Amino acid sequence: MKQLKNIFRIILVAIVTFWAGTSQVKAQGTTPMDSIEFGLITCSPHDEVYSLYGHTAIRCHNLSTGADAIFNYGVFNFKAPHFVLRFVFGLTDYELECVPARYFWPYYQKWGSQVTEHVLDLTNDEKQRLMEALIENCKPENKTYRYNYFFDNCSTRPRNIIEDNLDGSVIYQPRPDYQRTFREMIHEHTVKHPWAAFGNDILLGIKADRQATQREQEFLPDNLRRDFELALVDRDGVTTPLVKERRVLVRPGVQMVNEGFPLSPMHCAVLLLAVSLAVFIYEHFKRQTLRWFDAVLMLLTGLAGIVLFVMIFSQHPTTSINLQILVLNPLSLVFIPSVVRRRKTRWFTVSMLCICLFFVGALWQDYAEGMEIVALCLLLRYWRHLNDK
């Protein structure tokens, strides 16, 4: 409760300071918003999982009073009730927070992330509307929004509120590299984090492999930054650049990379294949089938399959159709008792058909690293059962 009061106090002080400054300027007979600057803040990625894709915020700087605030749409609470469950179902709530800039920069300095500002070339009327819109968004009843990773996040919200308060329309110049899928863009940011990439690829379905439009690609802060740099504003036929100046507020430093699990997903998949081949050779010479090995595989793939089945009902728009469920099949859990008790079952025939469809589906969906090898391991086991007499 004390922390919430402190946050509310910071927001109140920031807003009052800005309006006090504009009132003072107005009393002197000048235009109130002349001394106000708005900028798009872009923070480069660092090693924390939630920051692998960077961050975007809006800066509001009063040059006459020195008041300097950051409007940040990326605030969330890991300790909120059922946070993980809500995230899986696409029910995560994020908040807009307004903090003094002096509290914002040190965090990124600590992680070695570069912070750049693109100062927006706005008219005084546009500044006034943008300020009022941000303050309205900061109210307790308005600051919370339903987060969506691709389509409504801490990068798209600043873009939208800026666009909505312009007198004209924004013209974005085409980027030469804009023809990419959602999955390809995520991979670019998880090159050094194979398990983060694996987790994303397991959960993302076939819809993540469609080509994203240039506007959709602005869910990534760096893409939005690049588009803002060249964007134009058409105000009644008069076209001017959206950005008038670029500044580096925090220079890049040395980034500490945490050591993760020593084996990559591909290493683990190859290890599983080696174990499966060793078991297969052992069974061939001993003329027996290790049912417990199959039960373990069915248990692990079945539990993973439950997660993929649940994601069908998630509000994340790119998880509803995931062909990896043909391999990570939750129905395998039902047939474990039959396998252990050596009862006849059609499960192995059905599973082999599903795995064949899985390989065909690779024409449309890019699977998680090592999933094809896992499918081969299961295919080998199921073929063994079909030939077991």
Side-chain angles (χ1 to χ4, degrees):
M1 182 61 72
K2 183 177 180 181
Q3 185 178 7
L4 291 175
K5 290 182 179 179
N6 289 336
I7 292 175
F8 180 76
R9 190 179 299 113
I10 289 172
I11 295 174
L12 184 61
V13 169
I15 294 174
V16 170
T17 302
F18 274 109
W19 282 107
T22 56
S23 298
Q24 180 181 3
V25 174
K26 187 174 182 179
Q28 295 173 355
T30 57
T31 304
M33 303 304 292
D34 280 343
S35 60
I36 300 293
E37 278 188 348
F38 282 96
L40 182 78
I41 300 298
T42 306
C43 309
S44 65
H46 60 71
D47 194 53
E48 287 294 299
V49 173
Y50 59 82
S51 189
L52 293 179
Y53 311 100
H55 188 52
T56 298
I58 296 176
R59 183 188 187 189
C60 187
H61 188 194
N62 191 323
L63 301 177
S64 65
T65 66
D68 198 357
I70 299 294
F71 290 86
N72 178 11
Y73 281 93
V75 178
F76 61 93
N77 182 12
F78 269 129
K79 297 181 179 179
H82 312 296
F83 178 86
V84 175
L85 187 62
R86 291 178 62 84
F87 183 84
V88 168
F89 280 98
L91 302 175
T92 311
D93 290 331
Y94 273 45
E95 295 181 357
L96 169 62
E97 180 181 78
C98 176
V99 298
R102 65 180 182 274
Y103 296 142
F104 189 82
W105 316 133
Y107 173 82
Y108 291 95
Q109 288 174 328
K110 168 189 171 184
W111 285 99
S113 295
Q114 176 172 303
V115 179
T116 59
E117 178 186 19
H118 288 79
V119 182
L120 305 179
D121 189 9
L122 306 179
T123 66
N124 286 335
D125 287 342
E126 290 170 342
K127 293 178 185 178
Q128 183 77 26
R129 288 198 300 271
L130 181 55
M131 171 66 78
E132 292 173 353
L134 288 169
I135 292 175
E136 182 68 20
N137 270 201
C138 274
K139 292 181 179 179
E141 65 270 22
N142 299 329
K143 66 179 183 178
T144 302
Y145 70 98
R146 181 55 47 83
Y147 177 86
N148 184 287
Y149 178 68
F150 288 128
F151 302 110
D152 194 359
N153 66 4
C154 58
S155 181
T156 62
R157 285 261 162 171
R159 176 199 65 191
N160 293 346
I161 199 170
I162 290 171
E163 288 180 345
D164 290 344
N165 289 282
L166 295 176
D167 288 324
S169 58
V170 180
I171 304 172
Y172 294 108
Q173 306 302 311
R175 277 186 280 111
D177 62 342
Y178 81 92
Q179 294 184 343
R180 293 177 294 172
T181 67
F182 291 103
R183 196 186 305 272
E184 288 172 343
M185 289 184 285
I186 291 177
H187 285 175
E188 291 173 4
H189 288 76
T190 55
V191 173
K192 297 180 181 179
H193 299 266
W195 284 102
F198 178 80
N200 290 330
D201 286 336
I202 282 290
L203 296 179
L204 292 175
I206 196 170
K207 293 180 181 179
D209 291 297
R210 74 168 176 83
Q211 182 176 304
T213 66
Q214 182 171 345
R215 184 173 182 81
E216 288 173 336
Q217 291 181 21
E218 290 172 354
F219 81 93
L220 288 174
D222 194 57
N223 287 342
L224 181 63
R225 172 192 65 80
R226 294 166 63 194
D227 286 348
F228 262 49
E229 283 182 345
L230 302 177
L232 303 173
V233 181
D234 184 355
R235 300 181 179 91
D236 296 328
V238 179
T239 303
T240 57
L242 175 60
V243 173
K244 64 179 180 181
E245 184 180 353
R246 177 184 181 273
R247 301 168 181 165
V248 177
L249 303 178
V250 177
R251 296 192 176 278
V254 178
Q255 292 204 7
M256 301 299 294
V257 179
N258 296 323
E259 292 293 335
F261 188 66
L263 298 180
S264 70
M266 182 60 73
H267 291 151
C268 293
V270 171
L271 181 61
L272 176 62
L273 179 60
V275 172
S276 298
L277 288 173
V279 170
F280 183 83
I281 295 172
Y282 174 86
E283 291 173 330
H284 176 72
F285 286 103
K286 293 294 184 179
R287 298 183 180 279
Q288 60 176 298
T289 302
L290 300 182
R291 299 281 178 146
W292 64 265
F293 184 68
D294 297 300
V296 170
L297 289 179
M298 293 171 68
L299 176 64
L300 295 177
T301 56
L303 291 176
I306 290 177
V307 177
L308 298 191
F309 177 75
V310 168
M311 295 302 292
I312 294 175
F313 307 98
S314 171
Q315 290 190 15
H316 291 296
T318 55
T319 62
S320 57
I321 304 175
N322 191 339
L323 300 182
Q324 292 171 116
I325 201 170
L326 294 170
V327 173
L328 306 177
N329 195 327
L331 293 178
S332 65
L333 299 174
V334 177
F335 294 93
I336 291 177
S338 298
V339 172
V340 173
R341 295 172 185 173
R342 298 181 177 273
R343 293 177 179 173
K344 291 290 184 180
T345 172
R346 295 183 180 273
W347 168 248
F348 300 112
T349 303
V350 173
S351 295
M352 288 186 69
L353 177 61
C354 288
I355 292 174
C356 291
L357 293 175
F358 166 83
F359 283 112
V360 174
L363 296 173
W364 297 277
Q365 181 174 337
D366 188 6
Y367 299 136
E369 183 182 48
M371 276 301 298
E372 290 90 346
I373 295 179
V374 173
L376 284 175
C377 293
L378 295 177
L379 199 60
L380 179 66
R381 295 307 306 163
Y382 299 155
W383 180 84
R384 169 69 186 178
H385 276 275
L386 289 177
N387 291 272
D388 185 25
K389 297 181 181 180

